[in-house]
Amino acid sequence: MASYKAPLRDMQFVMHEVLEVGNTLATLPGYEDATPDVLDSVLEEAAKFSENVLFPLNRTGDEEGCHFDNGEVKTPKGFKEAYQQFIEGGWTGLDCDPQYGGQGLPKVVGFSISEMQCSANMAWAMYPGLSHGAYAAVNNHGTDEQKALYLPKLIDGTWSGTMCLTEPHCGTDLGLLRTKADPQADGSYLISGTKIFISAGEHDLTDNILHLVLARLPDAPKDVKGISLFIVPKFIPTAEGGVGARNKLACGSLEHKMGIKANATCVMNFDGAVGYLIGEPNKGMQCMFTMMNAARLGVGMQGLGLNEVSYQQALAYAKDRLQMRALAGPKFPDKPADPIIVHPDVRRMLLTMKAYAEGGRVFSTWLGLLLDIETQSQDEAEKQDASDLLALLIPVAKAFMTDNGFEATNLGLQVFGGHGYIREWGMEQFVRDARISQIYEGTNGIQALDLIGRKVLMDQATKLRKFTKIVHKFCEANGDDEQLKEFIEPVASLNKQILDITMQIGMQSMSNRDEAGAAAVDYLRLLGHLVYGYFWARMVKTAQAKADTGDAFYQAKVATARFYFAKLFPEHLSLTAKLKAGAKPLMALDSEHFALHL
Amino acid sequence: MASYKAPLRDMQFVMHEVLEVGNTLATLPGYEDATPDVLDSVLEEAAKFSENVLFPLNRTGDEEGCHFDNGEVKTPKGFKEAYQQFIEGGWTGLDCDPQYGGQGLPKVVGFSISEMQCSANMAWAMYPGLSHGAYAAVNNHGTDEQKALYLPKLIDGTWSGTMCLTEPHCGTDLGLLRTKADPQADGSYLISGTKIFISAGEHDLTDNILHLVLARLPDAPKDVKGISLFIVPKFIPTAEGGVGARNKLACGSLEHKMGIKANATCVMNFDGAVGYLIGEPNKGMQCMFTMMNAARLGVGMQGLGLNEVSYQQALAYAKDRLQMRALAGPKFPDKPADPIIVHPDVRRMLLTMKAYAEGGRVFSTWLGLLLDIETQSQDEAEKQDASDLLALLIPVAKAFMTDNGFEATNLGLQVFGGHGYIREWGMEQFVRDARISQIYEGTNGIQALDLIGRKVLMDQATKLRKFTKIVHKFCEANGDDEQLKEFIEPVASLNKQILDITMQIGMQSMSNRDEAGAAAVDYLRLLGHLVYGYFWARMVKTAQAKADTGDAFYQAKVATARFYFAKLFPEHLSLTAKLKAGAKPLMALDSEHFALHL
């Protein structure tokens, strides 16, 4: 049977041995108690919950899906009970403000838990995930009254939240959105419009659902500068914080999707529903942007989580399934055939999954730590650096980790051969679930445009240089180490090259802005490999230093790093060549000439 | 609404203008009547059937799936009627032997029709596709009596066929198979065993189903040399060729799959079912091998068909969907936003789909023609060349076309953004359907091993050199043409390089056979790009020669070729680097050390 085990050893290696998060957290006010021991015990408890409660509901949830009946939505069997156990364990408030009942733990540990939950049951994990986004919106932009009313409920998990952005005619281009907000005499607004693709828009897990809705005030500018953010509760809260009258909003239908079938993806109709402005009028997009880093990293964790769980199943199968003999001669002559893990190509698939998962794990943990620094540090320069690095690298985390996650789940399926295509084995569900992570929260193409446009070219690569300087320093400091040379050299070389390429794209796009758009996706992958290359080199440094412990964990780390540099990192060569080819080959064909072959 | 149009213009361009199949067919006995006009009118009729009958049943077939009830299987609504129409049109016997009622048309046109059917409804197309495989088996290896009994029924489509190879414990490694064949006094055999993943194993389309079953005679050697091929009919045929007694075999259950849900994938139980030997005892694998080229090319057509149909939908959506402005300024200032086809990254996705489809189309048509030459030519040298080129390139066609097909369907989904993930739009079905083509009929990893091991290294690259010589001649003949230079140079360069790389792998694998296994998948893709590069250069030559006709079709061809060389062909750079890294990075990690991160 399928099983999932949280990669605790690797998480601890990353946190304590590579990144030494304890040292950083100790300097951040509010995190004095978040010692390595505390983090470890939280991770261990979270692992048990993911392994024992969430994972067993993953396949059944996919088969059963959500049920829609006249506006009411039922989640699959067991989801409600699991959620109840989750809130009783206090997990919903883990990294939330203690003032409102949260536990005030660092975000970095929250993201590691998020990885586990996405491995175990991504569709389930989205319900509390969305609530956490709503918590962040109210916490960052709500008034004190709003915070006092909503945050305790979101933190204790009895109420949940959603993000209502997309409309039928606009997703990427929110400037086109039409949902209206009519101001009322009492300071509230009546919200009217239709929102689609609303994850967790309606369900039976909580007493109330708080919809964070983007809408337009009557006099608002027509574009993205005329969008405001509202909180629109399913039930209007009473003054005492209880559940009051039903609001004029309803789930019109559930979408039929490729995957994440156990998460209710709703069409939400707002028919003059009472809503309350969050933040300033016409500043809704800015409010959204402040939550975006955490939300996008959260989606990246979905790619990572599915990568890891698919790897674990594929590995178990590859050690169990007997088929053919090793090319170099039988490895298990007493068995009817060798386990398929002896075959180089099966190892290629497994190691690709492993190398992407472990690279993504250290990268995302580092970003989680930066999010903690960004919000908690008292040192303005450190704060700014964290903020700049996050702005630069969050699109990479979202897109690179989910693209690699999709590739990894497909490799996992492939290891199973024909059995991978059969639903009961569960491998194809990981593929279907992973596919959405490349699309929502800004498609990976949009992430790439955000990266190259807003994050890199707009400030003449200032943020990029903050990162390449970190890489450069590491390479300088360790380049003479004979044991590290083979890893440092390719990283140092790409680090230099990426600045040249960036400059070229910048120059070209001054005369033709399509150049940036044409370069975007390849450029993001190139930066992704620089990031992973850097972190693999750092992991090797840590592992080499402990080689004499005789612990095979460290040898495996070095062997996986060698695989990464030999078989995945070289993608940079074709990316570089494609970038050099520029925009012309993409723009030459007239739109009307795409279908002349018919 | 979704729609599909067969790419007739491109098929005709490929057949008549690039490959000039008419000239070749005219030299092959039996194909005297297969003039370009005849081929065109067959293609046109087939297009109508695919567009109007098959395509409308594709989405509904996926939603409904097949129904299993106590051994009986019902196909989705409309499938039976479509099949009836299909056999009434005589399509089942298109390229079959006229002696048994076939129309004797060339295989090359059969494969083009196959592309259309896979675009329109892959799950449906598999039913007659499997029958065609059974036809080939009996036709190649049956006795005259067997041919007289079975072929007319397979050709008129009233009976269908299957291939029963896989068992629960073996798919790739058929040497392990256990199904038994007990000889009876009357010359028949009693077949006992369980076969899984049997496509079209049971259904309601035909009066009888002929199972081609691999099984072991009592005294057979234990490995692949002890496997024989049997025909095991669902109903024992009467002497007059009617449907007689029910045989002791039954569909035990239907598999629940990721895709191709409208095709019945069956567990087949044979409980002493009467079967008849086809070909010689213990030569079952060889019998299978003779059909394998056509079958594997058939799977390649599935990748191509889904690539094309997904492209057509994505293109229509990209021209219709308004979202954001072109980076270089509004293209349609009167509309609320520009259609997304103005964005370079959307064009990258569309052009990738287009370039892979058109490259695959010319490559597969050329292979179809080689299959005709191989069977029909009277010139032994020509026959041998065709046979060698097919042996070499069929694994490339199967794996490269299906891998590209899967990538293309995913790009098509991505163009639709969130809507691509919703079932009603149909884009995610193409992804799910395409995924199986990378697995069955020999996984793409197995294709790669077959290529590098059996087809390239085993004969010291003799077959490979037959192909590189063709490429070399073309490059020599056209390299001085200023208009072709940009296309010829990269092809000529890779053509040379691939021989060097092959030699290196050959040398390395003499001391370590894992080197071939480690290189296999990257090597196949490298050869794939050489093949596509060569055919794109040939298409450009044809198109450039007609540039002065003013027909935009030819300009579009050249623009698509430029895209291919600028943005897809450069993959060879990273493939080459990965190949150079060899087997060591794959083999270094001990099997027991893959899970130390847990």
Side-chain angles (χ1 to χ4, degrees), chain B residues 282-318:
Chain B
N282 298 336
K283 302 274 185 201
M285 289 303 285
Q286 284 96 314
C287 293
M288 280 288 152
F289 275 117
T290 60
M291 297 179 297
M292 225 166 246
N293 280 341
R296 290 185 168 175
L297 182 54
V299 175
M301 302 318 281
Q302 297 179 339
L304 173 57
L306 292 170
N307 182 341
E308 174 65 30
V309 71
S310 182
Y311 170 68
Q312 292 187 20
Q313 315 310 310
L315 174 61
Y317 189 81

Side-chain angles (χ1 to χ4, degrees), chain A residues 45-61:
Chain A
E45 284 308 307
K48 283 181 205 158
F49 185 78
S50 293
E51 293 165 6
N52 304 329
V53 180
L54 295 184
F55 188 65
L57 297 174
N58 190 47
R59 281 281 308 125
T60 52

Side-chain angles (χ1 to χ4, degrees), chain B residues 312-504:
Chain B
Q312 292 187 20
Q313 315 310 310
L315 174 61
Y317 189 81
K319 290 167 98 168
D320 184 57
R321 174 82 171 173
L322 308 178
Q323 210 80 171
M324 313 295 282
R325 290 298 181 186
L327 287 169
K331 289 265 160 69
F332 294 82
D334 50 319
K335 293 186 177 177
D338 287 331
I340 61 173
I341 197 170
V342 304
H343 304 308
D345 193 56
V346 172
R347 291 175 151 255
R348 173 188 65 82
M349 296 192 273
L350 292 171
L351 285 164
T352 300
M353 301 172 83
K354 182 173 169 62
Y356 275 139
E358 294 177 18
R361 187 166 297 123
V362 62
F363 175 38
S364 58
T365 306
W366 181 68
L367 292 175
L369 189 63
L370 289 180
L371 282 167
D372 283 321
I373 295 170
E374 187 191 29
T375 48
Q376 302 299 116
S377 174
Q378 306 294 297
D379 176 335
E380 281 308 317
E382 185 184 57
K383 242 174 138 80
Q384 187 61 48
D385 283 349
S387 174
D388 286 348
L389 289 168
L390 284 166
L392 177 77
L393 294 174
I394 284 287
V396 179
K398 196 277 182 182
F400 198 60
M401 286 167 70
T402 59
D403 283 347
N404 297 341
F406 185 64
E407 188 189 335
T409 56
N410 270 297
L411 291 171
L413 189 162
Q414 193 75 15
V415 169
F416 276 68
H419 298 279
Y421 201 67
I422 305 299
R423 292 224 301 271
E424 281 78 356
W425 288 88
M427 300 305 286
E428 60 87 47
Q429 183 190 344
F430 299 137
V431 173
R432 288 186 288 103
D433 287 354
R435 190 64 185 84
I436 190 61
S437 63
Q438 300 172 288
I439 300 171
Y440 60 17
E441 202 57 42
T443 66
N444 287 1
I446 291 296
Q447 303 298 327
L449 277 177
D450 179 48
L451 170 68
I452 201 161
R454 220 184 316 235
K455 306 302 177 54
V456 172
L457 297 182
M458 206 174 270
D459 72 356
Q460 283 82 42
T462 307
K463 291 188 201 70
L464 177 67
R465 275 198 205 89
K466 280 199 182 175
F467 181 67
T468 56
K469 199 181 273 178
I470 292 173
V471 177
H472 179 72
K473 273 192 188 164
F474 175 78
C475 294
E476 282 278 284
N478 298 285
D480 293 337
D481 185 330
E482 278 304 317
Q483 285 197 299
L484 291 177
K485 228 172 193 166
E486 62 177 302
F487 306 100
I488 300 273
E489 271 175 7
V491 174
S493 158
L494 182 57
N495 198 45
K496 250 185 86 175
Q497 216 184 336
I498 218 164
L499 288 171
D500 297 341
I501 290 170
T502 306
M503 189 124 68
Q504 274 168 31

Side-chain angles (χ1 to χ4, degrees), chain A residues 173 311 324 410 421 432 594, chain B residues 173 311 324 421 432 594:
Chain A
D173 193 356
Y311 170 68
M324 312 294 283
N410 270 297
Y421 201 66
R432 289 186 287 102
F594 274 70
Chain B
D173 192 357
Y311 170 68
M324 313 295 282
Y421 201 67
R432 288 186 288 103
F594 274 69

